[in-house]
Amino acid sequence: MNVYFDNAATTAMNQAALDAMIPALSETYANASSLHTAGQLSKEKLEQARADIAECLGAQPGEILFTSGGSEADNQAIISAAKWGAKRDKRHIVSTAFEHHAVLHTLQKLEKEGYEVTYLDVHEEGMVCPEEVEAAIRPDTCLVTVMYANNEIGSIQPIAEIGAVCKEKNVFFHTDAVQAVGHLAIDVKAQNIDMLSLSAHKFHGPKGVGCLYARRGVILSNIIEGGAQERGKRAGTENIPAIIGMAAALKDVLSRREENAAKVSAMRDRLIEGLAQIPHSKLNGHPTKRLPGNVNFCFEGVEGESLLLLLDMKGIEASSGSACTSGSLDPSHVLLAIGLPHEIAHGSLRLTLSEYNTMEEVEYVIRELPGIIEYLRNMSPVWESLEKGETKHVI
Ligand SMILES: *Cc1c(COP(=O)(O)O)cnc(C)c1O
């Protein structure tokens, strides 16, 4: 059996995206900036996709700026607010300890340039407190950036409440909603979101395309200079087939959003129930306020990488921490942020589901995993000393 449980890393394209993109790849090749008929047809398709995406978010078309994906949108949102702030002597930013690296590394770069960043605690269940956001805002705060839902542990943040605090305090609010868009209900106006990042490949669209929603009145700075595309705020010939595919994918997933959420969260809950039977295991993240498809467990005495290799041999494709940290030997910054000790933070397993998974696949993983864990523990010196009572169990 082949089981793809790595949908937080990326998703397969849905049929709607493929059906929209395949003809666009061969036919809609003209440059949207060209004045001839073919160019104007490309322009029309581009603007239709913009209007469709705006509608999905409760935004206006003019508030949608196409980018190369979630990372670029995060970079542009944060850099724009920082530059705006610098002109007004506001060089303080409020964020959290468990943001995606596209946000964290951008903030670290700004810190080197003299900005100050407050990283809010996300507590044991991976939740940000709106009261703590409020308390962290200072007269020199130019931006609050808090992710909508975490990519590793799936916890969903009280975005509307944080948005209300920022509005009240007159501070820009950006949210990295890459894991949320397509899966959760979003209305940027009702939730007081000033800027929002999304990425098509996390909701069954193509890779290498995303967008930044920036409310009217937010002054954006370019991070890519060149031509006058995207109202002069993002140079580069638009990837129209990918943009068309992104709009089609989003409309498609949202047309069944509640139905999908119910189906996927039922699979998630069954998987959590099954894996919780394994001794010395722990579910990471919030028990209920979590993405429909997210399961994240730690197994004491088990090292994440070896677990992934053995799962792969059984046809199960999963992840330890996030795709971006695997490949490095550092423990996950997200698991450290929720207070897990280093030795546990190394041994996490992330299983992320989509509407294309089945309950049979969930049952297969529940059947296979305990044996793999036992096999790894039997070989582990760490486990041996835990069993002998030389070291104490943490979970
Ligand atoms: C995947 C992801 C990103 C990066 O998006 P790309 O389109 O791959 O650049 C940013 N933030 C979060 C939360 C993500 O899950």
Side-chain angles (χ1 to χ4, degrees), residues 78-96:
I78 295 167
I79 304 258
S80 295
K83 286 197 174 161
W84 178 92
K87 288 192 189 129
R88 291 158 181 83
D89 261 336
K90 290 171 182 267
R91 291 188 180 79
H92 175 243
I93 297 171
V94 176
S95 188
T96 80

Side-chain angles (χ1 to χ4, degrees), residues 94-99 118-133 136 146 155 157-158 162 333-340:
V94 176
S95 188
T96 80
F98 75 161
E99 296 298 310
T118 300
Y119 297 97
L120 296 171
D121 191 0
V122 293
H123 308 279
E124 244 174 80
E125 291 181 330
M127 297 294 290
V128 177
C129 277
E131 295 76 22
E132 291 176 13
V133 174
V146 174
S155 53
Q157 305 308 313
I162 298 171
H333 71 286
V334 175
L335 299 181
L336 294 179
I338 57 170
L340 290 186

Side-chain angles (χ1 to χ4, degrees), residues 8-182:
T10 195
T11 57
M13 283 218 273
N14 58 25
Q15 197 57 47
L18 286 167
D19 288 346
M21 275 183 85
I22 290 169
L25 281 164
S26 59
E27 292 157 20
T28 318
Y29 56 82
N31 193 317
S33 301
S34 296
L35 292 179
H36 46 67
T37 309
Q40 289 313 295
L41 200 66
S42 289
K43 176 88 179 151
E44 259 171 47
K45 296 238 159 117
L46 178 68
E47 294 313 318
Q48 186 57 51
R50 196 187 307 279
D52 288 346
I53 289 169
E55 198 184 324
C56 290
L57 301 174
Q60 294 299 314
E63 297 173 316
I64 302 296
L65 192 87
F66 294 120
T67 67
S68 65
S71 300
E72 186 188 332
D74 284 342
N75 273 258
Q76 186 164 19
I78 295 167
I79 304 258
S80 295
K83 286 197 174 161
W84 178 92
K87 288 192 189 129
R88 291 158 181 83
D89 261 336
K90 290 171 182 267
R91 291 188 180 79
H92 175 243
I93 297 171
V94 176
S95 188
T96 80
F98 75 161
E99 296 298 310
H100 188 271
H101 283 134
V103 168
L104 280 184
H105 291 167
T106 306
L107 293 175
Q108 284 160 10
K109 192 167 83 174
L110 289 171
E111 283 179 294
K112 287 196 191 106
E113 292 169 14
Y115 287 81
E116 203 185 319
V117 182
T118 300
Y119 297 97
L120 296 171
D121 191 0
V122 293
H123 308 279
E124 244 174 80
E125 291 181 330
M127 297 294 290
V128 177
C129 277
E131 295 76 22
E132 291 176 13
V133 174
E134 185 166 11
I137 294 174
R138 314 189 310 211
D140 64 339
T141 305
C142 59
L143 173 73
V144 170
T145 173
V146 174
M147 72 197 315
Y148 204 121
N150 184 269
N151 48 304
E152 289 189 38
I153 56 174
S155 53
I156 301 168
Q157 305 308 313
I159 288 302
E161 287 83 347
I162 298 171
V165 165
C166 295
K167 189 179 182 190
E168 158 89 25
K169 295 269 181 180
N170 218 355
V171 173
F172 285 129
F173 175 41
H174 165 251
T175 185
D176 173 340
V178 173
Q179 291 289 334
V181 172

